Amino acid sequence: MKLSIALTSAFALSLLAGEACAQLGAPPITTDQLTGGKLLATAGVSQLEGAGGGGLTPWALITGYGTDTQIGANGHVTFIRSNDYHITSYGAALGLYDRVELSVAQENFNTENVGATLGLGQGFTIRQNILGVKVKVAGDAVLDQDRLMPQIAIGMQYKHNNRSTLISALSAGDNTGVDLYVSATKVILAQSLLLNSTLRFTRANQMGLLGFTGSYKPMLEGSAALLLGRNWIAGVEYRMKPNNISTVAKENDWSDVFITWLPNKNFSVTAAYVRLGNIGIRDNQNAAYLSLQVGF
Amino acid sequence: MKTFARIVLTGRRRFLLATTMVALSRVFPARAGADVLRDFGGKDGLTAIMDDLEINLMADPRTRPFFENVDRKRIKQQIVIQCCALLGGECVYSGANMKGVHRGLGITMEDFNALIEDLQAAMDKHSVPFRAQNKLLAVLAPMHRDIVEK
């Protein structure tokens, strides 16, 4: 129910954004532009934890369509439906001068029947709030086509979930944690290709939904995407996971295949098939992923 | 660090790393190759595209101020020759130094990108394949260092 409301609101928002553009005359431009100076698709989409990126992993690109003299912002809603669970994620992000990205997101992980099986209650939901900061430190993924140097950004995600009792029961450590990452992203225009590699230092189990355990471990994440046309990107992603609490709740690396449609700079839809592996007591969580983003 | 090395060097993770490395080490071409020029309809095709680029630049409030009081015919000819040369055609660009002619114009990143968008629209109109368009943009993009004022 909550999801359908979220989807409806996102859709309504996108229609409003479209309407506003139509009234301003599309594309909405003036001689002194404050927003929207980046090229279409060079802002990425919103990854699951709210950062600008692909679906699973952050990219070094700063979210939104603001250039070095502009700002950009967007909101997103993402829905993941696996065999035994569903996750709904909402968030908003701000891109400042193509340098700094600030993001907030909330993930709601609904355990459905598994909750009842484990005695937690039918539809037991773990909610996690995430604050993110990313700073571009070097390079330009799109413009420096004559150099191998990718765009590099460093970032952090502060995460807090609301189920400390469950985390303690699992002996899974804390319900608050911080991920640190460095991302390198390069668009190879001559090949219509985007490549990203992210190295994340994390203690998080299932992104933090099942707590934060032990010491920091380095996890590699990667994305490769083809620019299929001005309005279409398709690609694959891979995300390593630490599997810190394998005795009670094994976790597997994640991967996905995605396609994104960006009709304009104000709206995008991403659909993906995601392999989440084992979550809690259920194996082979293959999932459908749908994400809507509105912004500028 | 040892842990990390062990992790990245196992199984499919090694494949991921290797794929990324191979792709990243691809040499970035300084020229796009003569076959790409064919996708633009040769030098004549480029001329027709740049005619439309001029129309787009003058219709676009973001770019018009930079082009309304200049010798557009000459600039257009220069752009055609320059793109023809960059695409591996039988053209020799001997025009002005890019940095010199753009100095002091106060061109921002969004102005630069606006021109790219107007060029994309012109290339679309002339049915240049998307991948060929990107090959031209790939050799034009680094010019931002000479054109955009920091």
Side-chain angles (χ1 to χ4, degrees):
Chain A
M1 191 57 206
K2 229 172 165 183
L3 167 82
S4 62
I5 294 169
L7 287 177
T8 312
S9 351
F11 187 60
L13 262 176
S14 69
L15 289 181
L16 280 173
E19 181 62 25
C21 294
Q23 286 189 1
L24 291 167
I29 45 178
T30 66
T31 41
D32 288 308
Q33 275 208 314
L34 297 175
T35 62
K38 268 194 223 167
L39 296 171
L40 186 60
T42 61
V45 293
S46 303
Q47 61 90 228
L48 203 45
E49 293 146 311
L56 298 181
T57 184
W59 292 349
L61 305 174
I62 299 299
T63 202
Y65 282 101
T67 65
D68 57 351
T69 58
Q70 302 177 325
I71 60 165
N74 53 62
H76 77 274
V77 52
T78 299
F79 183 62
I80 298 179
R81 156 97 260 168
S82 77
N83 304 338
D84 297 293
Y85 306 101
H86 68 261
I87 302 173
T88 313
S89 150
Y90 324 79
L94 188 63
L96 300 172
Y97 311 110
D98 203 22
R99 176 64 64 184
V100 176
E101 173 186 296
L102 305 172
S103 59
V104 292
Q106 181 178 91
E107 297 171 335
N108 293 278
F109 171 61
N110 189 311
T111 58
E112 301 186 1
N113 294 332
V114 174
T117 306
L118 294 174
L120 297 166
Q122 174 77 26
F124 179 84
T125 297
I126 303 171
R127 173 174 296 165
Q128 177 165 258
N129 294 323
I130 303 167
L131 297 175
V133 182
K134 187 202 290 176
V135 180
K136 171 173 140 181
V137 291
D140 188 296
V142 182
L143 292 169
D144 291 345
Q145 290 297 312
D146 53 344
R147 298 175 180 172
L148 270 169
M149 175 73 180
Q151 179 163 327
I152 294 172
I154 52 172
M156 68 150 249
Q157 292 173 333
Y158 169 86
K159 306 171 176 186
H160 176 79
N161 85 44
N162 67 339
R163 297 295 187 184
S164 54
T165 312
L166 173 71
I167 306 301
S168 301
L170 292 171
S171 299
D174 309 315
N175 65 327
T176 299
V178 176
D179 284 0
L180 303 169
Y181 64 87
V182 53
S183 287
T185 305
K186 189 79 187 177
V187 174
I188 303 174
L189 262 182
Q191 310 297 332
S192 298
L193 193 64
L194 180 150
L195 295 172
N196 175 76
S197 192
T198 296
L199 181 60
R200 182 193 297 261
F201 296 87
T202 184
R203 303 168 59 230
N205 311 314
Q206 305 291 15
M207 291 188 295
L209 290 165
L210 296 184
F212 302 83
T213 310
S215 56
Y216 275 91
K217 291 199 177 97
M219 294 288 131
L220 200 60
E221 306 175 8
S223 317
L226 263 180
L227 314 174
L228 299 177
R230 189 103 59 244
N231 308 107
W232 293 90
I233 305 174
V236 293
E237 293 185 291
Y238 195 87
R239 174 167 173 171
M240 282 169 64
K241 310 275 290 313
N243 196 22
N244 283 327
I245 50 168
S246 53
T247 47
V248 284
K250 189 177 90 151
E251 72 176 323
N252 297 114
D253 294 354
W254 285 354
S255 60
D256 76 13
V257 181
F258 71 90
I259 184 157
T260 299
W261 176 55
L262 316 94
N264 54 51
K265 292 180 187 174
N266 302 120
F267 179 60
S268 74
V269 189
T270 300
Y273 174 72
V274 191
R275 293 166 64 102
L276 302 175
N278 189 79
I279 298 180
I281 55 166
R282 293 291 160 86
D283 216 345
N284 295 320
Q285 294 303 306
N286 300 329
Y289 172 113
L290 180 69
S291 182
L292 305 181
Q293 190 194 69
V294 292
F296 57 87
Chain B
M1 201 57 212
K2 239 187 210 164
T3 318
F4 173 56
R6 195 176 64 232
I7 291 165
V8 297
L9 291 175
T10 53
R12 52 185 170 173
R13 286 154 185 176
R14 181 164 48 189
F15 171 75
L16 174 78
L17 187 69
T19 313
T20 310
M21 296 299 281
V22 167
L24 281 177
S25 64
R26 189 184 282 276
V27 177
F28 289 61
R31 283 160 181 268
D35 54 326
V36 181
L37 184 58
R38 276 199 297 278
D39 289 330
F40 286 78
K43 199 181 166 191
D44 290 345
L46 271 178
T47 305
I49 290 165
M50 297 315 164
D51 284 341
D52 275 305
L53 172 63
E54 180 189 358
I55 293 167
N56 294 347
L57 291 173
M58 292 303 286
D60 186 340
R62 300 173 298 179
T63 49
R64 186 185 171 95
F66 298 107
F67 291 96
E68 55 189 352
N69 297 314
V70 297
D71 184 352
R72 289 194 297 281
K73 195 175 167 194
R74 187 176 175 281
I75 290 177
K76 197 162 62 182
Q77 283 167 351
Q78 294 297 318
I79 292 176
V80 169
I81 295 169
Q82 196 175 21
C83 289
C84 167
L86 287 168
L87 293 175
E90 301 289 311
C91 311
V92 179
Y93 178 69
S94 54
N97 169 276
M98 294 301 277
K99 193 162 196 153
V101 294
H102 293 95
R103 188 174 292 141
L105 294 179
I107 296 171
T108 62
M109 205 57 248
E110 53 270 28
D111 299 329
F112 182 82
N113 284 342
L115 180 139
I116 299 276
E117 289 176 355
D118 292 332
L119 175 60
Q120 287 176 318
M123 293 189 292
D124 281 348
K125 188 179 168 188
H126 291 269
S127 305
V128 178
F130 178 71
R131 291 178 66 84
Q133 292 187 17
N134 285 345
K135 287 186 180 179
L136 177 59
L137 298 183
V139 287
L140 293 178
M143 293 180 187
H144 78 95
R145 288 192 284 270
D146 290 339
I147 295 172
V148 175
E149 303 221 346
K150 290 291 168 198

